[in-house]
Amino acid sequence: MALAGRGWRPALLSLCRAGRQPGAARTLRRGLAPSRQLPALGPLPWARGYSSERQPSRKVVVVGIPNPFTWARTRMYFFLIRAYFDQDFSFDEFSAGAKQAFSRVSKMLSKCNFDELKDLVSKEALEEVKEKCLALPVNRREALAADLDEIMYSTPGDVGIYYDNQGRKFVSIIMRYWYLTDADLPDETPEGTKVFQVVFGDENSKDSKRLLTANYEFRREFTQGVEPDWTITRIQHSKLLD
């Protein structure tokens, strides 16, 4: 897959341009070690109206307050990435590709299609999430799938820059997603989710949607001469895949 607006290649996901190599292949593959535990999911950090072309009258609004410290810190790291690793790095371009990656991977997980994830998710993360997916009941597994038009909001949760003992350089970006699902879930689970009931015509006709959250960590090695590949190294769906 390629970035939105640049065409998607089958099976592979490209999330940002290669530094100083505009024509280079940009894919997302496995091979990096899993990172530290992801931070807990917080409240939705913005307000957004939601509508569907299939049901034009439906609208959901979720309101939250952004964390100014997190916003400032992530922007500082993006500046450092452009200054020292890749002058062509664009968060907007990365975010667009990551969003499509999240949607595709979540759908594959919901179908337990793990073979298709080998080039998208690191080996360690895939082994961990495979075990959890197989243990889920069908209704919760279906709730993992996030359609692109059901993703209400996304934001970077954390950004890290790392060096190992061999001098290799890595960048990791945790993306947080909020998406709607009509999966049949018990009211008491998963904790931290919310059900929206939207009226169509009268009080006797209601459509219920549940707002779910997910964290996906993307990591790339920026060592000179290494393919500019982003890999998903951690997957967390709130109270579904913890």
Side-chain angles (χ1 to χ4, degrees):
M1 289 185 173
L3 283 166
R6 292 175 177 261
W8 282 86
R9 296 171 51 192
L12 299 179
L13 301 95
S14 173
L15 300 181
C16 82
R17 291 174 291 185
R20 302 178 179 85
Q21 299 180 28
R26 300 180 296 278
T27 58
L28 183 153
R29 302 177 184 174
R30 64 180 179 178
L32 296 178
S35 68
R36 62 191 184 283
Q37 181 64 36
L38 293 178
L41 290 164
L44 187 66
W46 202 247
R48 174 179 175 179
Y50 169 83
S51 63
S52 170
E53 293 181 359
R54 297 186 299 271
Q55 297 176 346
S57 62
R58 182 175 62 184
K59 187 176 183 180
V60 177
V61 178
V62 182
V63 179
I65 301 175
N67 184 321
F69 175 77
T70 300
W71 184 91
R73 182 181 61 188
T74 56
R75 267 58 189 180
M76 179 190 70
Y77 273 106
F78 295 150
F79 169 78
L80 294 175
I81 293 172
R82 287 190 297 270
Y84 296 103
F85 293 162
D86 181 1
Q87 65 180 2
D88 295 323
F89 175 81
S90 165
F91 173 72
D92 289 340
E93 188 173 302
F94 166 85
S95 180
K99 182 178 180 179
Q100 296 187 48
F102 161 62
S103 177
R104 179 170 181 178
V105 170
S106 67
K107 289 178 181 179
M108 291 181 182
L109 291 176
S110 71
K111 299 176 182 178
C112 291
N113 193 354
F114 304 114
D115 289 339
E116 296 295 325
L117 295 175
K118 291 180 179 179
D119 291 332
L120 312 176
V121 182
S122 69
K123 180 179 179 181
E124 296 81 1
L126 183 57
E127 290 176 352
E128 180 181 357
V129 77
K130 179 178 180 180
E131 181 179 353
K132 293 178 179 179
C133 280
L134 293 175
L136 288 176
V138 175
N139 60 334
R140 292 198 184 187
R141 199 159 60 231
E142 291 176 347
L144 297 173
D147 290 331
L148 276 175
D149 59 358
E150 301 282 12
I151 300 174
M152 295 186 65
Y153 191 77
S154 64
T155 186
D158 196 11
V159 181
I161 297 176
Y162 310 96
Y163 295 82
D164 66 9
N165 294 332
Q166 286 75 43
R168 297 184 300 171
K169 301 177 290 187
F170 299 92
V171 170
S172 67
I173 302 176
I174 295 176
M175 293 298 298
R176 296 179 174 179
Y177 298 97
W178 288 260
Y179 65 99
L180 291 174
T181 179
D182 55 6
D184 183 17
L185 295 172
D187 289 341
E188 68 274 11
T189 56
E191 182 181 346
T193 65
K194 184 177 295 185
V195 174
F196 295 90
Q197 288 188 325
V198 185
V199 178
F200 296 97
D202 59 70
E203 289 289 339
N204 296 321
S205 177
K206 293 184 178 181
D207 177 37
S208 295
K209 284 285 185 178
R210 190 179 294 269
L211 180 67
L212 301 179
T213 52
N215 281 343
Y216 276 51
E217 181 183 62
F218 298 84
R219 182 177 291 186
R220 173 185 161 185
E221 182 176 353
F222 278 85
T223 308
Q224 186 174 5
V226 175
E227 288 290 329
D229 302 339
W230 288 93
T231 304
I232 296 175
T233 53
R234 179 75 63 162
I235 296 174
Q236 180 190 56
H237 283 253
S238 179
K239 302 305 177 181
L240 293 175
L241 293 177
D242 285 345

